Amino acid sequence: GDGHGFLYVAERGGSGNPCPVWRIDPASHQKTQVGTIAAPCSPSGLAFGPDGRLYVTGIGAAQDAIAVLTPGDATSQAQVFATGMPQANGIAFDRDGNLWATDGNNKKGIVYRVGPAGGAAAEVFRIPPMANSIGVGRQATTLQGTTPNTGNPQDIVANGIGFSHDGKVVFVADTARGAIWRVRIEKHGDPASPMGCDSTYPSPDDTLCLDDVFAQSPYLEGADGFALDHGGRIWVDANERQAVVVVGRHGTVEEFFRNPVGADGRRNSGPLETPTSPFLLGKKLC
C-alpha cells in the first residue's frame, strides 16, 4: 500500500505473458493498471522503497531477479533492479535503504541483501532448512494434503520478512515450522544474533541458531506474509489454516480470524483462500 490509501497487486500473467501491476482503491473497489513487468515473470512479494518506487520479486526465467517500477499507467515498464536471488519471495527495506529478500521456494532459508543502487545480491544469513546432511528435519509426509492422510509438505523456511519500527530487528516467517524468527541487527546492518550452532547444515557459519526463534505455535502453521502494527504486534497470514494470527511483542500467539467450517468439514470456504500477504491500511487489515 501507499500513503494515499491505495493497495497494489502484481498479477501473474501466465506462461509467456507480461505481468500487469494494479492499483486498487478500497473505497470504490476499482482497479487501475499502473505498470507492466515484461515476461518471463511470476511476481510474489512487493513493497515500496524509500524512493517511492515499487519493488517486485520473482522476475526472470529463473525467478532470481527483482524489478522496480515507478507507478504510472499500463505503459510504465518495470526495470531489473537486483539479481542473484533465486526464488526471491518476501521483501523489505532496512533503515539504510538496503533491500532484503527471502528465498521462498528455493527452500534453503537464505535471506539476501542488496544496496540502494541495486546489482548483485549477497547472502546475509540462513534460516535452518528442514533437512540437513544427516537427515534432521520434518518428514515429507507429516502435513495433510488434499485428502486426509496424504502428504503435502511445505518446506519453505524463509517467507515473509519485515523490520521493527526502530530498524534494530528483522523478522522472518518460517512457513514449514509455523514460526517467526527474530534477528538482531547491528548499527552497520549485519546480524548480531547467534549463528553457527549446528555444523551439519549447509553454510553453518551463517545459519541461525534455534535461540533466534521468537514465536512458534500450531496456530502459525503455514506462516507466510505478515504486517507489523505501530504497537509492535505481528499480523501473520497462516496459509495452511486459512487464518490470521497475531504475535504479541513478547512472543505470545493469538488467533484473530479463521474461516468457518464448511460442509465438507474443512475450512476452505470463506473469505481466506491460502492467505499470503496482509497489509495494514490505517486501522483496517487487508
Side-chain angles (χ1 to χ4, degrees):
D2 64 16
H4 302 290
F6 295 108
L7 300 173
Y8 292 78
V9 173
E11 181 181 345
R12 292 175 179 171
S15 178
N17 297 320
C19 298
V21 179
W22 302 96
R23 182 181 66 221
I24 300 170
D25 184 345
S28 67
H29 303 179
Q30 297 299 308
K31 67 176 185 179
T32 303
Q33 189 171 350
V34 295
T36 301
I37 304 169
C41 52
S42 182
S44 187
L46 67 166
F48 278 98
D51 57 4
R53 296 189 296 173
L54 190 62
Y55 293 77
V56 186
T57 66
I59 307 304
Q63 296 180 36
D64 62 349
I66 291 178
V68 62
L69 171 72
T70 300
D73 56 28
T75 65
S76 302
Q77 292 289 324
Q79 305 296 322
V80 172
F81 173 76
T83 59
M85 301 182 182
Q87 299 296 316
N89 191 332
I91 184 173
F93 290 86
D94 66 17
R95 51 192 167 185
D96 296 320
N98 300 305
L99 183 155
W100 297 53
T102 59
D103 76 342
N105 275 319
N106 195 38
K107 301 174 182 179
K108 294 181 178 180
I110 301 173
V111 174
Y112 298 100
R113 179 177 58 201
V114 65
E123 180 176 324
V124 187
F125 61 81
R126 296 191 184 201
I127 303 294
M130 290 310 296
N132 63 9
S133 61
I134 58 174
V136 175
R138 186 162 61 172
Q139 296 295 314
T141 56
T142 56
L143 294 183
Q144 182 171 292
T146 54
T147 59
N149 303 316
T150 61
N152 183 32
Q154 287 199 91
D155 44 8
I156 297 172
V157 294
N159 200 325
I161 185 171
F163 285 87
S164 61
H165 292 294
D166 61 9
K168 295 179 179 180
V169 171
V170 62
F171 296 98
V172 181
D174 185 332
T175 310
R177 290 183 178 87
I180 301 293
W181 294 74
R182 178 177 59 185
V183 181
R184 298 191 309 276
I185 302 298
E186 295 177 344
K187 183 171 66 173
H188 299 295
D190 293 323
S193 291
M195 293 189 285
C197 294
D198 191 339
S199 62
T200 62
Y201 284 112
S203 190
D205 290 344
D206 70 346
T207 297
L208 297 177
C209 301
L210 291 176
D211 303 18
D212 301 315
V213 173
F214 177 57
Q216 186 172 16
S217 168
Y219 285 122
L220 289 168
E221 286 291 337
D224 201 315
F226 60 82
L228 277 78
D229 67 18
H230 290 293
R233 293 174 297 181
I234 306 171
W235 299 74
V236 186
D237 276 345
N239 69 35
E240 287 182 16
R241 303 184 58 253
Q242 316 289 36
V244 178
V245 178
V246 183
V247 178
R249 293 181 61 184
H250 302 292
T252 57
V253 179
E254 179 182 1
E255 185 151 278
F256 177 72
F257 176 84
R258 191 182 185 196
N259 279 358
V261 177
D264 61 356
R266 298 165 69 85
R267 295 180 182 263
N268 293 336
S269 300
L272 300 182
E273 298 183 41
T274 316
T276 65
S277 231
F279 181 77
L280 284 165
L281 186 64
K283 294 184 178 181
K284 293 182 179 180
L285 179 69
C286 304

